[in-house]
Amino acid sequence: MNRFKEIFSTHSGKRTVKLLAGFAVAMALLYVVPVVVSYAKNNSYLDNITSDSIKKKEEEIAKAKQEKAEIQNKKHDIESIKNELEQQKDDLAAYITELDAKMAELQYNIEDISDQIYLKEADIAATEIELESARADEEERYQAMIVRMRLMYERDDSSVLSSLLGATSLRDLLNRMDYIEAIVSYDRQAWEELKAARQYVELCEEELELEKELLDESLAAIEEEEANMELLLEEKAAQLEAYNQSIAESQAEIDKYNSQINSEDAEIALLEQAILTEKQQIYAQQNLQTLYDGGSFVFPIASYRYISSKYGYRTHPITGQQNKFHSGVDLAADYGTAIYAAYSGIVASAGYNSSMGNYVMINHGGGLYTIYMHASSLCVSEGDAVATGQTIAKVGSTGASTGNHLHFTVRKDGNYVDPNDYVYFYAR
């Protein structure tokens, strides 16, 4: 940190130049670790470092990646099967819901017909009582008529004959004959009416019995349909359980493949780290220095809303001091936006400063540094080798800042230079 403060010292004269030159040399000696190859240009020293051990690890990485690809293909196949099973399960569940609705309708119909049968049985019972009464009345009237007729004819017809002979005139005789006939006719008519009433009640009973029979048949048919529906529901429920089991087994296979993929990723990461470490060791043993090779910088932020301040002199946004030198370019951006390494290099310093906030400083070799300030969080540490375009921090407003933004600066041979010389920000 003391070395870093010396870099930003504003002392003038030869002492400042010597301090800056000394800092550049010290940084080059203290951070002799390899620069990760740039994604845009594969021409750093680390690309040219190799050994039998590294080759073997690279072969193992290639094999692990191939195995991972095969596992991913198997996982994809199982996921397709699982998706198909889930679709079939959803279709079956919808069908079961439809069957449940039909079952509810059947049960309602059964209850309705059962109620009708109950009422019909009550009507039949009442009709049977009426029928018994009609039969009794008919029988009583019939027996009374028989008794009366028997009495009339058992009196050796003397009473009837006496009645007729006792007539005083022809009119009286005819009247007496009509009277006798009327008595007999009345009895006969009353009996016939009772007989007709009984027959009517019998017909009503037969009709009610027929209606009850039809209701019984309907009830039996619906109950049979309900039984079949219950069997179908049991069958579909078993199928649904089978789908759930198959889906669970598929998910278990997917989880197993995910575990295998994670294991492959972990193995690949370990091998890649081992290769990087071995290259760093070889690089350090060879006492090579990183040199900026003139490659193009990438834009140092994933996205931004506008340039809030350019490089050069300005009025300070916090102190209000006029003609205050601004050492970089400010890019206003949303909180948490990814900040990229503009070029491959080694993290010379990463930490917190009351003015810069959370910052990262990258050594690109040849006396060239880039600095990224006011971050909300850091993704790298001092001594890390970083590649072009790698995420090294996230946008924030830490330190002396008035809002979320990236303050991006470039230093060359101990002096601030215009970042627009290395990355296009704005037309001059």
Side-chain angles (χ1 to χ4, degrees), residues 135-150:
R135 285 171 179 169
D137 290 343
E138 177 192 7
E139 183 64 22
E140 181 180 357
R141 180 59 61 90
Y142 175 73
Q143 292 299 328
M145 184 184 67
I146 293 299
V147 169
R148 196 162 34 250
M149 292 179 66
R150 184 184 296 118

Side-chain angles (χ1 to χ4, degrees), residues 248-273:
E249 292 173 356
S250 298
Q251 186 59 53
E253 286 290 313
I254 292 171
D255 292 340
K256 183 183 72 174
Y257 287 139
N258 282 332
S259 178
Q260 292 176 352
I261 290 171
N262 291 336
S263 297
E264 295 290 348
D265 286 338
E267 181 181 355
I268 291 170
L270 288 174
L271 289 170
E272 289 175 341
Q273 183 58 43

Side-chain angles (χ1 to χ4, degrees), residues 11 34 54 84 94 97 109 151 180 198 210 251 262 311 331 334 402 409 411-412:
H11 291 300
I54 291 174
E84 183 177 353
T97 301
N109 291 336
L151 289 174
I180 293 171
R198 175 183 58 77
L210 179 60
Q251 186 59 53
N262 291 336
Y311 171 83
L331 302 171
D334 294 331
T402 58
T409 65
R411 288 180 65 85
K412 174 65 175 172

Side-chain angles (χ1 to χ4, degrees), residues 87-385:
Q87 181 60 52
Q88 293 174 354
K89 172 190 171 183
D90 291 342
D91 293 342
L92 180 59
Y95 180 56
I96 289 176
T97 301
E98 182 180 346
L99 290 179
D100 285 336
K102 290 183 178 179
M103 179 68 79
E105 182 180 355
L106 286 175
Q107 290 173 346
Y108 172 80
N109 291 336
I110 288 173
E111 292 176 359
D112 181 57
I113 292 177
S114 297
D115 291 341
Q116 292 183 46
I117 290 175
Y118 174 79
L119 294 175
K120 197 64 65 177
E121 288 174 342
D123 291 341
I124 290 173
T127 303
E128 287 178 348
I129 294 173
E130 292 179 8
L131 182 59
E132 288 299 322
S133 177
R135 285 171 179 169
D137 290 343
E138 177 192 7
E139 183 64 22
E140 181 180 357
R141 180 59 61 90
Y142 175 73
Q143 292 299 328
M145 184 184 67
I146 293 299
V147 169
R148 196 162 34 250
M149 292 179 66
R150 184 184 296 118
L151 289 174
M152 290 176 64
Y153 289 103
E154 282 180 352
R155 292 177 183 177
D156 59 11
D157 297 333
S158 59
S159 60
V160 176
L161 181 60
S162 298
S163 176
L164 293 174
L165 293 176
T168 57
S169 64
L170 180 60
R171 176 184 290 275
D172 185 26
L173 175 63
L174 292 175
N175 287 336
R176 293 189 180 204
M177 290 180 64
D178 289 341
Y179 174 74
I180 293 171
E181 179 65 24
I183 292 174
V184 174
S185 176
Y186 172 79
D187 285 340
R188 185 181 296 113
Q189 182 179 356
W191 178 70
E192 290 292 340
E193 288 176 354
L194 289 173
K195 181 179 178 181
R198 175 183 58 77
Q199 291 175 346
Y200 173 75
V201 174
E202 287 178 346
L203 288 174
C204 290
E205 184 182 31
E206 290 178 3
E207 183 179 0
L208 289 173
E209 290 287 354
L210 179 60
E211 290 177 357
K212 180 179 179 298
E213 183 179 347
L214 292 175
L215 288 173
D216 288 338
E217 291 176 357
S218 298
L219 180 62
I222 293 177
E223 287 177 340
E224 181 180 0
E225 186 176 356
E226 182 186 35
N228 293 333
M229 191 75 72
E230 287 178 349
L231 292 176
L232 182 59
L233 277 171
E234 291 176 1
E235 177 186 347
K236 296 306 177 184
Q239 292 179 6
L240 186 63
E241 181 60 29
Y243 278 125
N244 286 330
Q245 181 65 28
S246 298
I247 290 171
E249 292 173 356
S250 298
Q251 186 59 53
E253 286 290 313
I254 292 171
D255 292 340
K256 183 183 72 174
Y257 287 139
N258 282 332
S259 178
Q260 292 176 352
I261 290 171
N262 291 336
S263 297
E264 295 290 348
D265 286 338
E267 181 181 355
I268 291 170
L270 288 174
L271 289 170
E272 289 175 341
Q273 183 58 43
I275 290 174
L276 178 60
T277 300
E278 187 171 348
K279 285 186 176 183
Q280 288 174 337
Q281 291 172 351
I282 295 172
Y283 191 66
Q285 289 170 0
Q286 293 175 352
N287 199 27
L288 296 174
Q289 295 183 358
T290 58
L291 294 174
Y292 172 58
D293 56 16
S296 299
F297 281 14
V298 298
F299 209 80
I301 192 169
S303 64
Y304 71 101
R305 290 183 283 116
Y306 58 90
I307 296 174
S308 56
S309 185
K310 298 181 179 180
Y311 171 83
Y313 291 94
R314 65 171 185 175
T315 300
H316 197 281
I318 297 178
T319 65
Q321 182 180 350
Q322 295 183 350
N323 294 324
K324 179 68 176 177
F325 179 70
H326 187 234
S327 60
V329 175
D330 286 345
L331 302 171
D334 294 331
Y335 180 89
T337 302
I339 298 173
Y340 300 144
Y343 201 72
S344 59
I346 300 167
V347 178
S349 183
Y352 178 80
N353 176 277
S354 60
S355 176
M356 296 183 294
N358 294 320
Y359 71 93
V360 176
M361 180 178 185
I362 301 176
N363 178 11
H364 303 288
L368 185 64
Y369 294 83
T370 53
I371 309 168
Y372 313 77
M373 303 180 190
H374 308 302
S376 61
S377 61
L378 304 181
C379 304
V380 294
S381 301
E382 184 175 337
D384 287 348

Side-chain angles (χ1 to χ4, degrees), residues 71-85 246-247 249-255 257:
I71 293 171
Q72 286 175 327
N73 288 334
K74 292 179 181 178
K75 173 188 171 184
H76 177 73
D77 293 340
I78 294 296
E79 286 176 337
S80 298
I81 293 173
K82 179 189 173 187
N83 291 336
E84 183 177 353
L85 287 171
S246 298
I247 290 171
E249 292 173 356
S250 298
Q251 186 59 53
E253 286 290 313
I254 292 171
D255 292 340
Y257 287 139

